[in-house]
């Protein structure tokens, strides 16, 4: 599976190894942007670049989660909703009152734990079935 398809396609299946390698690659890219932006541009611009990179990383993470959720036998929407449940409570915190903070942190933490166990640790439902990379190579030309 190509990197572009890995990070942009919501269809298909990926195994644990591809899921973790893709997640680590995205995290390292975000860390690199967060580290390099303040050294390359002024602080207000750096804050905007970091915010844009975090928002931009949501789609590749959703694509990884969707493919992994499909491999686990669920719907691709389950993986996308998990990513949203992890990210959105943190982004909504400034707009809601202080009383909402514990609830938002609990939602995000529970979503992280579900994503870690279900997508990150459990094997695929059908281990004998070919993954997306092998399926694409095996398709016949019409």
């Amino acid at each position: 599976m190509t990197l572009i398809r890995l990070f942009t396609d919501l269809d298909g299946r990926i195994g644990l190894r591809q899921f973790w390698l893709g997640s680590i690659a995205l995290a390292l890219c975000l860390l690199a942007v967060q580290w390099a932006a303040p050294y390359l541009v002024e602080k207000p611009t750096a804050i905007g670049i970091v915010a844009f990179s975090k928002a931009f990383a949501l789609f590749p993470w959703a694509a990884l989660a969707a493919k992994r959720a499909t491999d686990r036998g669920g719907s691709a929407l389950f993986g996308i909703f998990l990513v949203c449940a992890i990210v959105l409570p943190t982004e909504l915190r400034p707009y809601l009152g202080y009383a909402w903070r514990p609830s938002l942190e609990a939602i995000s933490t529970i979503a992280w734990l579900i994503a870690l166990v279900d997508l990150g640790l459990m094997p695929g439902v059908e281990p004998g079935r070919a993954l997306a990379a092998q399926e694409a190579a095996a398709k016949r030309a019409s």
Side-chain angles (χ1 to χ4, degrees):
M1 178 178 293
T2 65
L3 285 177
I4 291 175
R5 183 164 179 232
L6 181 68
F7 292 123
T8 60
D9 193 5
L10 297 173
D11 295 326
R13 300 171 61 227
I14 57 171
L16 282 171
R17 182 173 186 231
Q18 287 177 313
F19 175 75
W20 279 109
L21 289 175
S23 296
I24 290 169
L26 277 172
L28 289 176
C29 288
L30 283 174
L31 286 174
V33 168
Q34 287 178 345
W35 176 81
Y39 293 111
L40 298 175
V41 294
E42 296 174 5
K43 187 172 182 171
T45 308
I47 291 171
I49 291 172
V50 170
F52 177 77
S53 66
K54 286 181 179 180
F56 186 77
L58 286 177
F59 187 78
W61 252 314
L64 286 172
K67 284 194 276 296
R68 183 66 189 132
T70 302
D71 185 51
R72 289 277 306 127
S75 170
L77 284 175
F78 175 70
I80 295 169
F81 285 144
L82 273 178
V83 171
C84 291
I86 291 169
V87 174
L88 287 180
T90 306
E91 300 303 321
L92 291 176
R93 192 178 327 172
Y95 303 109
L96 297 174
Y98 181 76
W100 282 93
R101 182 166 287 185
S103 298
L104 294 174
E105 290 176 1
I107 291 169
S108 185
T109 303
I110 291 169
W112 265 112
L113 290 173
I114 291 171
L116 173 68
V117 172
D118 191 41
L119 302 181
L121 297 177
M122 302 294 289
V125 176
E126 302 170 8
R129 188 173 160 210
L131 295 175
Q134 290 99 10
E135 286 177 0
K139 288 183 181 177
R140 294 183 194 193
S142 307

